[in-house]
Amino acid sequence: MAGGRPTKYSPEFGKLICERMAVNPVGWSTLENLYPDMPNFSTIKAWRHSIPQFSTMYLEAKASQAALLVEEIDELLPSDVRYYIDDKGNERIDAPSAGMLIAKINNRKWMAARLAPKLYGDKQQTDTTVTLKHEESIKDLA
C-alpha cells in the first residue's frame, strides 16, 4: 500500500480535519506536523471551493480557533510578565517581558479578527434595508 497523505475527500475525513482545526489554535503547517494524515493546504483550498459542506465546516472551525485565541489572552497575562527588584527594593515590571506579552496579545487579537471578522474584527458591519415606493418619489418630483 502506498504511503502519503490522503487526497480523497469523505464527509467523515472532512469532519475530522475541521474538529482538529477547531481545538488547536495553530496554523496549518503545525497541524500537518501534529497529524501526519492531514492533506496539504492546497488540497484543503480545493475542497473548500468544490465541496460546500466542507467549506461551511471549515469556516465554523476557524471561528472556534478564533475563540480559543481570545480565551488564551487571559491565560497569558500572569504567566509571561517578569518582575525584578530595583536598587531601592521596589518590585518592578521587566519592560522587555511586558513588551513581548503585548506583542503576543496583539498577535492573537489580529489572528482572531482575521479568522472571525464578524465577531472579533475592528469594523462592525450593519445591514440596512431601505424600501422606496415609486409613487411617493414621483409625487415629490411634481
Side-chain angles (χ1 to χ4, degrees):
M1 183 151 127
R5 296 173 186 220
T7 56
K8 303 259 185 207
Y9 178 81
S10 73
E12 296 79 21
F13 190 51
K15 183 178 178 186
L16 177 64
I17 290 168
C18 292
E19 286 172 355
R20 290 173 177 173
M21 280 192 309
V23 298
N24 291 291
V26 295
W28 193 259
S29 61
T30 303
L31 284 174
E32 286 181 304
N33 290 331
L34 287 172
Y35 305 103
D37 62 338
M38 294 292 269
N40 62 38
F41 191 68
S42 62
T43 300
I44 295 298
K45 259 177 95 171
W47 288 353
R48 285 184 58 211
H49 291 290
S50 63
I51 305 166
Q53 177 188 7
F54 179 73
S55 182
T56 300
M57 287 190 306
Y58 181 92
L59 293 174
E60 290 171 1
K62 285 299 184 180
S64 293
Q65 272 190 330
L68 286 175
L69 288 167
V70 170
E71 288 174 14
E72 283 183 347
I73 290 173
D74 287 336
E75 294 172 12
L76 289 173
L77 294 175
S79 64
D80 285 358
V81 176
R82 295 189 184 115
Y83 297 88
Y84 69 94
I85 305 299
D86 68 9
D87 56 356
K88 295 179 183 174
N90 299 315
E91 185 177 55
R92 303 282 184 194
I93 294 175
D94 176 56
S97 71
M100 286 301 295
L101 177 61
I102 291 168
K104 284 181 181 180
I105 290 170
N106 287 339
N107 180 291
R108 280 169 174 72
K109 287 172 24 181
W110 183 88
M111 289 176 61
R114 296 320 171 269
L115 292 171
K118 288 183 180 179
L119 290 174
Y120 303 110
D122 296 333
K123 296 179 182 176
Q124 297 296 319
Q125 292 182 339
T126 305
D127 293 331
T128 304
T129 303
V130 177
T131 304
L132 294 176
K133 293 184 179 179
H134 297 292
E135 294 84 21
E136 292 174 13
S137 299
I138 293 173
K139 287 179 187 174
D140 290 340
L141 291 175

